Amino acid sequence: MERRDKEQENLSRLEQAAQQTADPKTMQQKAKRPEEKFRFSLRKKDVWWTVGLAAAALLLFGIQVLINWRLDWLDAPLRLRVTNYVKGGLLIFIMLTVANVIEVFLIGRIPNRVSRFNLKRIFRLVVVVAIVFVAISVLFVNWYAAFVSLGLISLILGFALQMPISSFIAWIYILARAPYRVGDRIRIGDAHGDVIDVSYLDTTLWEFGGEYLWTDHPSGRIIKFPNSTVFDTPVFNYSWPLFPYVWNEIKFQLAYESDLEFVARTMREVVEEQVGDIMSQKVKIYKHILSNTPVDELEVKEHPVVHFRVSENTWLEAIVRYLVPPKEAGRTKTRLIKEMLARMNAEPDRVLFPKSNLR
């Protein structure tokens, strides 16, 4: 039991470190070091906002005291209306002052940036709903009429706005379960891209690839889809914070007469030189994650591996597999292919490539 608790603690420390850096070596160093205490810093802007809102509340309180002191200044109907408006404004500014204090001094002390950002967004939404409720109560002196009107409006809007409401619920789900976050590279349905915004109703992607490109280069277009899409469409996240890497392959076609040992050694050496050290660190993290799942018996190599297979035509295929950050996959593959071809073309007697125009 203690061993499992310790593994869970280590995995939790890795997750916290992964939210601060994508480099596996740095990630493990951060996870091993004692947890750094979050330092809360108070900004002048926050202080001025709090003081300004409190001053506005005090001003409205003074106006209310003045109205109650000199009741004969205004006639009864106007005095009642003005009193309600002042009370409503006073309550709203008190709420804004308290909300600002909570956001700065309580939510602002949460160490995790993502959690802090999401909690602020939710808290602000709750405050806005409360302010709207107060404003309605001020405008409708008759509470029964206000509730009936609000109920009828809610019923009508519920039927008319089913999709927006579903998307708003999906926004809460995205914050709670985090199938993706801002900055992640994802694929959902036919959309591929980097998440640049997750609003209350929709998600915005900066598209990569697309119909005009075969590489992972940004296409220049943005994709918007309703948040409710996550309820019925699988989300492929290539940037999971704990392991933001993907397996990639490079494949060459060779003649059967080629020196396969030389080809395998050359491809391994090139990958080792370019990404080998980092890859071994990544795979250690990958194994650590797998050890806490039912598939921990899966064998994963810490170094590049070359496989051979018979192609559908008359050639052999040499395939090397390696790990790479998804946003660097294209650049890394191009660099590796150039180096591999240069070394193998230098030995034409040992590496025989297809030369027929019919390939």
Side-chain angles (χ1 to χ4, degrees):
M1 189 70 178
E2 293 181 3
R3 180 174 175 271
R4 183 170 292 275
D5 292 341
K6 190 173 183 180
E7 289 178 351
Q8 285 296 114
E9 182 182 354
N10 292 336
L11 189 58
S12 176
R13 294 173 72 90
L14 273 173
E15 289 177 349
Q16 294 177 6
Q19 293 176 356
Q20 302 173 18
T21 177
D23 178 63
K25 188 176 292 186
T26 308
M27 187 190 305
Q28 288 190 326
Q29 291 175 354
K30 282 181 173 289
K32 291 178 180 178
R33 287 202 304 263
E35 187 175 352
E36 297 179 2
K37 291 185 178 180
F38 171 72
R39 294 184 179 180
F40 171 75
S41 59
L42 185 63
R43 300 179 302 176
K44 291 184 179 180
K45 178 182 176 181
D46 297 328
V47 175
W48 282 112
W49 265 108
T50 305
V51 172
L53 291 171
L58 286 175
L59 178 62
L60 288 173
F61 178 74
I63 294 175
Q64 183 179 359
V65 171
L66 183 62
I67 293 175
N68 293 333
W69 179 45
R70 299 296 300 270
L71 296 176
D72 55 336
W73 283 16
L74 302 171
D75 57 5
L78 182 60
R79 184 171 64 246
L80 179 61
R81 192 178 308 119
V82 171
T83 302
N84 286 334
Y85 291 158
V86 172
K87 286 182 178 179
L90 175 61
L91 183 57
I92 288 174
F93 276 101
I94 289 176
M95 290 170 58
L96 288 174
T97 304
V98 174
N100 193 67
V101 170
I102 292 174
E103 183 174 313
V104 173
F105 293 96
L106 295 181
I107 300 179
R109 293 180 182 275
I110 298 175
N112 189 291
R113 290 184 180 180
V114 176
S115 300
R116 189 165 64 244
F117 175 80
N118 291 337
L119 193 56
K120 280 185 179 180
R121 217 165 190 182
I122 295 173
F123 181 69
R124 288 173 182 175
L125 180 64
V126 172
V127 172
V128 169
V129 171
I131 290 175
V132 170
F133 181 78
V134 171
I136 292 176
S137 67
V138 171
L139 294 175
F140 293 90
V141 179
N142 188 336
W143 281 86
Y144 177 77
F147 275 116
V148 170
S149 301
L150 196 60
L152 290 175
I153 293 173
S154 300
L155 184 63
I156 295 172
L157 291 179
F159 284 107
L161 303 176
Q162 290 184 21
M163 181 61 74
I165 293 174
S166 177
S167 291
F168 177 76
I169 295 174
W171 172 73
I172 298 175
Y173 167 80
I174 292 170
L175 294 184
R177 299 294 297 167
Y180 56 81
R181 305 181 305 175
V182 173
D184 287 354
R185 174 161 291 189
I186 68 169
R187 175 164 66 89
I188 179 168
D190 295 329
H192 302 68
D194 298 325
V195 181
I196 58 176
D197 184 43
V198 182
S199 65
Y200 296 121
L201 299 180
D202 56 33
T203 296
T204 305
L205 301 184
W206 182 253
E207 186 189 42
F208 67 88
E211 56 187 309
Y212 302 112
L213 297 172
W214 65 270
T215 62
D216 290 342
H217 192 278
S219 67
R221 303 182 298 187
I222 63 170
I223 303 173
K224 282 184 176 288
F225 59 87
N227 292 335
S228 57
T229 306
V230 301
F231 287 145
D232 53 20
T233 306
V235 178
F236 297 86
N237 193 327
Y238 302 95
S239 304
W240 182 36
L242 187 54
F243 194 76
Y245 311 105
V246 293
W247 295 96
N248 212 337
E249 291 182 340
I250 294 177
K251 178 172 61 178
F252 288 110
Q253 289 186 334
L254 306 168
Y256 285 91
E257 297 81 8
S258 299
D259 185 343
L260 301 185
E261 186 61 36
F262 172 76
V263 171
R265 184 172 65 252
T266 301
M267 295 177 75
R268 277 197 305 268
E269 288 176 353
V270 172
V271 177
E272 283 279 4
E273 292 171 4
Q274 299 287 341
V275 297
D277 183 45
I278 298 297
M279 178 176 168
S280 63
Q281 297 292 331
K282 298 171 186 175
V283 174
K284 287 179 181 177
I285 297 175
Y286 191 67
K287 287 183 175 180
H288 182 80
I289 298 171
L290 286 178
S291 66
N292 293 281
T293 68
V295 294
D296 59 346
E297 73 279 358
L298 181 65
E299 183 180 3
V300 182
K301 301 292 185 180
E302 295 184 8
H303 301 280
V305 177
V306 178
H307 297 279
F308 293 95
R309 71 181 181 188
V310 178
S311 177
E312 295 179 356
N313 45 37
T314 58
W315 304 96
L316 283 177
E317 289 182 347
I319 305 169
V320 62
R321 186 181 303 122
Y322 57 94
L323 273 177
V324 65
K327 298 181 182 180
E328 299 177 12
R331 292 193 300 270
T332 303
K333 177 175 284 190
T334 299
R335 189 171 68 249
L336 293 176
I337 289 175
K338 286 182 178 180
E339 183 62 27
M340 289 178 190
L341 284 176
R343 297 192 187 186
M344 288 191 286
N345 282 328
E347 298 286 345
D349 296 333
R350 307 178 70 178
V351 184
L352 305 176
F353 290 109
K355 294 183 179 180
S356 172
N357 293 329
L358 299 178
R359 336 175 12 225

